[in-house]
């Protein structure tokens, strides 16, 4: 059992859930317990009343007592139904807690996490986790609790009214039944895990395919992709079939143990009725109780099985939950920028494949744009990833106004720095939302940022202006428009440092010059570092840093 893997998310989510939903959970628990008590009280009363019919003529009190029995039956039914719906209500608040906790956790994941997992796969793991937790809580409330109360009360009655040996047989049967369920769940778990892994793999595949749908069509790869998807789905299906069949193999054992329980008990009981030691009412009570006792054992068994299934379902969720997060900095140094100087001191970083960047050593000051140039694959974007704290330098260090970047908190740093990446990511929302991105809204600021990014005239010319929705990943805009929106976004909050990674590569020469001239005008107040392949954008006064590929 990967207890270390599942314990932290379980603890976090369930404790938050108990805090939020304790009142409704208490009401559900009470309703369940009352339902279970009345379910036992009713047959007990009935068996005693039956014996009264034999012993005395039917009087009004006996009729009234039978009416009480009818009321008890109704109450038991009503309590159980009410508890069912109340439990359903609690499951929605559990979903809320699970989804929001998972999302909060995702926000802090390291950048690598999003290179390894696509959105569909993440969504699928989240949904499986939600389902798993729900099953556990629902079963704990709707099965384990009332079943345990019922088993306990029925046993007390059996022991008191009938005999201890019968109660003992029931206990032995119940324990064997539950042990058998546990064993069956353990034996079949490998099939369950395989099925869930395969379905998770399938979700990852869907995410990949959706991201590349147009490309796949254009290369006539749809048939190949459909085949690949069917293979993954069929691996999941086979896993589920093996799991179900493995359980079917156990059914004969379950049938045998039930037969044994009834046979042995009746074999002991019937002669006692014949000898007058037990009444017919006792026999009726026994039969009802035995049936009722088996029901909670079955519920308990089902709960164990469901919990075992939920455990496997919860694993992809727990793995994502536990994946490394961005490092948090102990005792960060507070950042007050004066000169906005960014200095790389012999910075080096190698990915696991050995590629990356070595010995980057340069200074970016205000007063001119600092251009980083170098061959493709030289490590220019890697330097930006280090500057944006997606990872830490393995050698050397980056300083900002003399402070080690590693000691500056992410929050402080991202207030000072703004980046325009190579691959622009826009939300499927309005232009205004994409520029402001949750920061305090200021109309004048937004227009000024759009002017500096040379996109204001374009936006004003749209029917819906800043309220125009940009489509999935911003694909209703051209590449150049997307880049300019991203530049406006970077400039919106007047950052102290701006990083541009090939930020003007999709622009025509005139627009590019326009934007770079706008930026040159503010480069006395803002440190600007730009990666470019186009040497034509570099002006004589700009600072040029050439990065050589890592040859070691
Ligand atoms: N996440 C990653 N995992 C492994 N290797 C990587 C990763 N990202 C980049 N690399 C490798 O590190 C090297 C430097 O990549 P980087 O993207 O920094 O180069 P670049 O100079 O920006 O290239 P380009 O000009 O083509 O954008 C390349 O050889 C690249 O294959």
């Amino acid at each position: 059992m990967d207890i270390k893997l599942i314990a932290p998310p379980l603890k976090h989510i369930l404790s938050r859930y108990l805090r939020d939903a304790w009142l409704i959970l208490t009401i559900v628990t009470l309703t369940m317990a009352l339902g279970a008590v009345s379910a036992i009280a009713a047959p007990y009363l009935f068996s005693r009343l039956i014996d009264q019919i034999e012993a005395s003529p039917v009087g009004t009190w006996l009729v009234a007592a039978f009416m009480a029995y009818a009321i008890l039956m109704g109450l038991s039914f009503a309590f159980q139904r009410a508890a069912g719906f109340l439990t359903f209500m609690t499951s929605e608040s559990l979903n809320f807690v699970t989804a929001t906790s998972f999302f909060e956790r995702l926000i802090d994941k390291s950048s690598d996490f999003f290179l390894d997992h696509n959105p569909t796969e993440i969504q699928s793991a989240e949904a499986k986790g939600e389902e798993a937790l729900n099953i556990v809580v629902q079963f704990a409330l709707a099965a384990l609790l009332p079943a345990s109360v019922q088993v306990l009360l029925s046993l007390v009655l059996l022991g008191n009214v009938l005999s201890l040996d019968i109660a003992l047989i029931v206990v032995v049967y119940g324990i064997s039944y539950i042990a058998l369920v546990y064993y069956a769940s353990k034996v079949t778990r490998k099939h369950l895990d395989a099925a869930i892994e395969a379905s998770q793999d399938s979700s990852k595949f869907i995410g990949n395919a959706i991201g590349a749908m147009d490309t796949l069509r254009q290369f006539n790869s749809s048939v190949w992709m459909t085949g690949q998807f069917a293979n993954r789905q069929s691996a999941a299906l086979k896993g589920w079939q093996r799991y179900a069949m493995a359980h079917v193999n156990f059914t004969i054992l379950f049938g045998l143990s039930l037969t044994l329980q009834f046979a042995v008990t009746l074999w002991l009981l019937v002669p006692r009725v014949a000898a007058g030691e037990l009444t017919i009412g006792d026999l009726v009570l026994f039969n009802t109780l035995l049936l009722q006792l088996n029901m909670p054992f079955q519920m308990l068994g089902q709960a164990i099985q469901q919990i075992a299934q939920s455990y496997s379902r919860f694993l992809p969720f727990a793995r994502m939950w536990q994946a490394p997060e961005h490092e948090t900095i102990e005792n960060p140094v507070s950042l007050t920028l004066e000169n906005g100087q960014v200095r790389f001191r012999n910075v080096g970083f190698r990915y696991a494949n050995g590629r990356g960047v070595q010995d980057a050593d340069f200074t970016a000051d205000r007063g001119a744009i600092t251009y980083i140039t170098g061959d493709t694959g030289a490590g220019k974007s890697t330097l930006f990833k280090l500057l944006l704290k997606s990872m830490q330098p393995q050698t050397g260090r980056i300083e900002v106004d003399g402070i080690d970047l590693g000691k500056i908190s992410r929050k402080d740093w991202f207030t000072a720095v703004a980046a325009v990446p190579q691959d622009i990511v826009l939300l499927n929302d309005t232009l205004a939302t994409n520029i402001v991105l949750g920061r305090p809204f200021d109309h004048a600021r937004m227009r000024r940022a759009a002017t500096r990014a040379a996109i204001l005239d374009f936006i004003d010319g749209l029917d819906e202006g800043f309220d125009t929705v940009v489509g999935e990943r911003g694909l209703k805009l051209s590449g150049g428009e997307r880049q300019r929106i991203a530049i406006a976004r970077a400039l919106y909050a007047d950052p102290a440092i701006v990083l541009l990674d090939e930020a003007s590569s999709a622009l025509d020469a005139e627009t590019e010059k326009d934007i770079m001239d706008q930026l040159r005008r503010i480069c006395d107040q803002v440190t600007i570092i730009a990666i470019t392949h186009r040497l034509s954008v570099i002006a004589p006064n700009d600072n040029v840093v050439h990065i050589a590929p890592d040859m070691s």
Side-chain angles (χ1 to χ4, degrees), residues 35 45 73 84 86 125 155 186 197 214 233 289 295 382 478 505:
L45 181 65
M73 286 297 283
L86 288 170
L155 281 176
K186 210 172 149 182
E197 281 302 315
D214 278 339
Q233 282 295 95
L289 283 183
M295 241 167 37
T382 302
S478 76
S505 60

Side-chain angles (χ1 to χ4, degrees), residues 112 115 351-353 355-357 374-383 385 422 501-502 531 533:
D112 275 356
L115 296 182
Y351 298 99
N353 56 20
R355 299 198 294 268
V357 69
D375 293 341
T376 175
K380 304 179 293 294
S381 300
T382 302
L383 290 180
K385 286 183 208 161
Q422 225 173 67
D501 189 354
E502 302 268 355
I531 293 175
H533 276 291

